[in-house]
Amino acid sequence: MIQQFNAQSTTDQVLDGVDLAGKRVLVTGVSAGLGVETARVLAAHGAQVVGAARDLAKAERATQAVREAAANGGGLELVELDLASLASVRAAADELLADGRRFDVVIANAGVMATPLGHTADGFETQFGTNHLGHFVFVNRIASLIKPGGRLVNLSSSGHRYSDVDLEDPNFEHTPYDPMVAYGRSKTANILFAVEFDRRHRERGVRATALHPGGIVTELARHLEPGLIDGMLAQINADLAAQGRPAFEWKTIPQGAATSVWAGFVASADAVGGRYCENCHVSDVTDGPIGPTSEGVRGYALDLERAKALWAKSEGMVGERF
């Protein structure tokens, strides 16, 4: 019988009895939160993890628990990767290509959320440039290292429901800047990137998927105004109480990282390829309300033509074809 998982499932539960010895996995964003937990559980099950992080000193400190948990041949090595700098992205990719060892799964976990208006080293709006374009160049440059039968797992968010990508004004040069709209654009881009990557690589047995980890308190929310989350949570719980439903509860970090490892190692490739997942299952397309207690993916985030258009736009922005 296939084990059924849900929003409360943890990484250890999802990988219970799964032997990852001999697997090699790349995880971006291993200096905090979900990235560290993802690396920990993979190494504990025997995987060789390559963790990418902008601040290697911070990552070294944060991943001590990963090294301590490593078992059955599992381990961790770190590479420097600043997704807000294409020079750094290309240097990191070149280092991995020169090394030549291949990956079973790439988990594009790193990201920023609701930042003030700003720009990356290459002049892109911070969230679109970091969350999407940085990963777009990095993953495409190392795509040849993903083994047949391998997977790309992009961390997106239910925040994609705030906004579709804007291919005419990706850097907010003509549009009033809103941090959550910008975040939504970048998270929609993460899904569309997975959709098109899946289409381009599935013939050689490589599949791609995107996912929402759930509502979790991590460093990702550090740019939000103090008290904003508490105010939102109070309103959400008042609405839920009026409907006779239980109060919203944050996921723990092991629960939040569970869908990443489920999508990468447990779910069937055909089930998740080109799709959007949350709470350890594949989500349905919905036009329903935005909120931490609702599930579903917007149709525009899975649109095949939109995915192709974003790919072409992204190539033009970074000056590189894949």
Side-chain angles (χ1 to χ4, degrees):
M1 189 174 101
I2 298 175
Q3 174 70 51
Q4 297 296 313
F5 301 106
N6 55 38
Q8 283 72 50
S9 300
T10 66
T11 50
D12 286 313
Q13 290 169 339
V14 167
L15 289 184
D16 184 31
V18 177
D19 182 5
L20 298 180
K23 301 289 187 183
R24 193 161 183 261
V25 188
L26 174 65
V27 183
T28 68
V30 296
S31 60
L34 297 176
V36 173
E37 172 60 16
T38 302
R40 181 204 66 79
V41 75
L42 295 176
H45 284 259
Q48 285 288 327
V49 180
V50 176
R54 179 181 59 82
D55 185 337
L56 285 184
K58 181 182 178 183
E60 284 283 359
R61 295 189 299 270
T63 55
Q64 184 59 40
V66 178
R67 301 179 196 281
E68 292 171 356
N72 195 26
L76 174 73
E77 58 185 285
L78 297 175
V79 296
E80 185 175 356
L81 172 67
D82 182 354
L83 290 164
S85 164
L86 292 185
S88 173
V89 167
R90 289 167 176 145
D94 288 347
E95 180 182 340
L96 294 172
L97 289 167
D99 177 83
R101 287 177 291 167
R102 306 187 81 184
F103 295 101
D104 295 276
V105 176
V106 172
I107 301 177
N109 166 84
V112 294
M113 174 182 176
T115 59
L117 178 59
H119 298 88
T120 67
D122 304 277
F124 308 126
E125 185 276 314
T126 298
Q127 297 187 76
F128 190 79
T130 304
N131 295 345
H132 169 58
L133 291 174
H135 276 126
F136 178 79
V137 173
F138 182 64
V139 171
N140 276 318
R141 281 200 161 214
I142 64 167
S144 62
L145 295 179
I146 305 177
K147 298 176 185 176
R151 302 185 194 184
L152 166 65
V153 177
N154 279 353
L155 266 74
S156 178
S157 169
S158 63
H160 80 274
R161 293 180 288 182
Y162 281 108
S163 47
D164 190 2
V165 293
D166 186 336
L167 301 181
E168 302 303 317
D169 188 26
N171 292 318
F172 286 87
E173 293 170 324
H174 310 291
T175 311
Y177 182 75
D178 180 292
M180 290 308 296
V181 169
Y183 181 64
R185 290 184 184 185
S186 73
K187 295 290 100 177
T188 295
N190 291 150
I191 305 171
L192 290 170
F193 175 34
V195 168
E196 180 63 4
F197 192 93
D198 184 80
R199 187 189 71 82
R200 288 170 176 247
H201 292 273
R202 62 187 173 214
E203 282 191 9
R204 70 180 186 95
V206 174
R207 305 305 302 268
T209 190
L211 63 89
H212 170 48
I216 313 142
V217 180
T218 69
E219 286 188 5
L220 191 65
R222 62 187 177 275
H223 295 291
L224 294 176
E225 294 180 12
L228 179 62
I229 291 179
D230 290 340
M232 292 171 60
L233 193 58
Q235 182 59 55
I236 289 164
N237 283 332
D239 293 341
L240 290 171
Q243 300 167 29
R245 298 168 60 190
F248 170 76
E249 293 184 5
W250 296 107
K251 280 191 179 186
T252 65
I253 288 176
Q255 289 171 338
T259 303
S260 296
V261 296
W262 175 83
F265 299 95
V266 177
S268 111
D270 286 338
V272 300
R275 304 292 295 277
Y276 171 88
C277 309
E278 57 193 324
N279 297 328
C280 297
H281 65 81
V282 175
S283 295
D284 295 325
V285 175
T286 179
D287 292 321
I290 294 172
T293 60
S294 57
E295 292 189 356
V297 57
R298 294 291 195 237
Y300 56 68
L302 296 177
D303 185 272
L304 297 176
E305 294 307 313
R306 197 74 173 153
K308 292 177 185 177
L310 174 65
W311 189 289
K313 180 68 176 183
S314 301
E315 287 180 328
M317 293 178 74
V318 303
E320 200 166 349
R321 291 182 62 85
F322 301 105

